[in-house]
Amino acid sequence: NAGVMQNPRHLVRRRGQEARLRCSPMKGHSHVYWYRQLPEEGLKFMVYLQKENIIDESGMPKERFSAEFPKEGPSILRIQQVVRGDSAAYFCASSPPGLAGASRKEQFFGPGTRLTVL
Amino acid sequence: AQSVTQLGSHVSVSEGALVLLRCNYSSSVPPYLFWYVQYPNQGLQLLLKYTTGATLVKGINGFEAEFKKSETSFHLTKPSAHMSDAAEYFCAVSEDNAGNMLTFGGGTRLMVKP
């Protein structure tokens, strides 16, 4: 059973460009989470999605950032007009379906996408 | 609101020595507690978790942690460090009434000296 897949692993963008980060959850998982890790810091929650629904986006910056998890295909984290401060590692995690007891369930993390903004 | 504090951003031990990584949390309801390990340029791997029941939790690679409600702590220990334990360790908390998100501590980088 393949783990959580993220691509690309490394992404370099110039200021003002768009960054698209992709995440394929583990097979059978329907919950997807995105976290951001700034250098020398812990991970910070950004957004929680289920198929075709954004459940919690309380950690998303108000502008330039968006996320989706369509019925078919991977989850996408999109950053428009990137700035140097967006440089970070972006991790996706997934967990099994079912809302009951969801907070107790292990989240399985992907290897991350390291975004560098020049 | 939930929060996690990891005391000591860097911990250095000798091979074979006891490993103790500290984690204190703040939560308004019974928390669920997790320890993750991150090796360089990799994602996070779950070491162990506490949800309910026994407060001493055993994980992979010989690690264990004890949930102490009175001290709001969930410290990670291993009796004898191995060189392969060198990594970054993150404590995290989640709550039923705070969505499913994990709130992470700042991390502790463990270095193991030969």
Side-chain angles (χ1 to χ4, degrees):
Chain A
N1 186 12
V4 177
M5 310 282 283
Q6 288 188 251
N7 68 82
R9 294 291 307 275
H10 300 274
L11 182 60
V12 179
R13 286 285 178 268
R14 296 190 181 280
R15 280 179 297 170
Q17 292 184 319
E18 178 180 287
R20 279 183 177 242
L21 288 61
R22 294 174 183 77
C23 169
S24 296
M26 285 182 71
K27 187 177 181 181
H29 285 191
S30 59
H31 298 217
V32 166
Y33 314 80
W34 285 93
Y35 294 85
R36 177 165 63 176
Q37 184 180 31
L38 294 169
E40 304 300 320
E41 293 187 17
L43 281 75
K44 298 286 194 292
F45 169 78
M46 299 180 75
V47 63
Y48 163 41
L49 311 105
Q50 294 179 31
K51 287 282 187 183
E52 300 183 282
N53 281 305
I54 297 175
I55 307 302
D56 182 349
E57 56 181 348
S58 59
M60 287 279 269
K62 294 286 187 288
E63 298 176 346
R64 301 187 296 108
F65 285 72
S66 63
E68 63 177 6
F69 188 18
K71 187 176 181 181
E72 301 290 338
S75 175
I76 306 286
L77 179 67
R78 183 183 178 203
I79 312 172
Q80 295 178 290
Q81 299 176 323
V82 295
V83 300
R84 289 220 173 103
D86 296 333
S87 295
Y90 292 82
F91 289 95
C92 169
S94 72
S95 66
L99 287 176
S103 294
R104 311 175 197 181
K105 294 177 182 172
E106 176 184 354
Q107 293 183 17
F108 293 81
F109 283 79
T113 293
R114 279 154 182 83
L115 173 65
T116 301
V117 180
L118 301 177
Chain B
Q2 54 195 27
S3 66
V4 178
T5 302
Q6 290 183 241
L7 287 175
S9 58
H10 293 79
V11 170
S12 180
V13 301
S14 297
E15 192 174 19
L18 171 71
V19 175
L20 170 60
L21 304 183
R22 298 178 186 276
C23 172
N24 288 87
Y25 68 90
S26 147
S27 174
S28 55
V29 298
Y32 306 122
L33 297 158
F34 305 78
W35 274 100
Y36 282 86
V37 60
Q38 183 182 31
Y39 295 101
N41 297 317
Q42 294 187 25
L44 278 69
Q45 179 184 4
L46 182 71
L47 278 176
L48 49 80
K49 66 176 180 179
Y50 168 79
T51 54
T52 58
T55 56
L56 181 62
V57 181
K58 294 189 184 299
I60 62 171
N61 300 338
F63 285 94
E64 63 182 38
E66 186 171 10
F67 170 57
K68 292 187 176 180
K69 185 178 178 181
S70 61
E71 298 177 9
T72 61
S73 69
F74 190 56
H75 302 329
L76 182 71
T77 60
K78 181 174 180 177
S80 176
H82 192 273
M83 296 296 289
S84 61
D85 294 327
E88 185 106 26
Y89 292 81
F90 292 97
C91 182
V93 63
S94 69
E95 298 174 0
D96 276 336
N97 69 346
N100 293 358
M101 65 173 164
L102 289 168
T103 297
F104 285 87
T108 298
R109 185 172 300 278
L110 176 66
M111 293 166 284
V112 182
K113 299 176 291 186

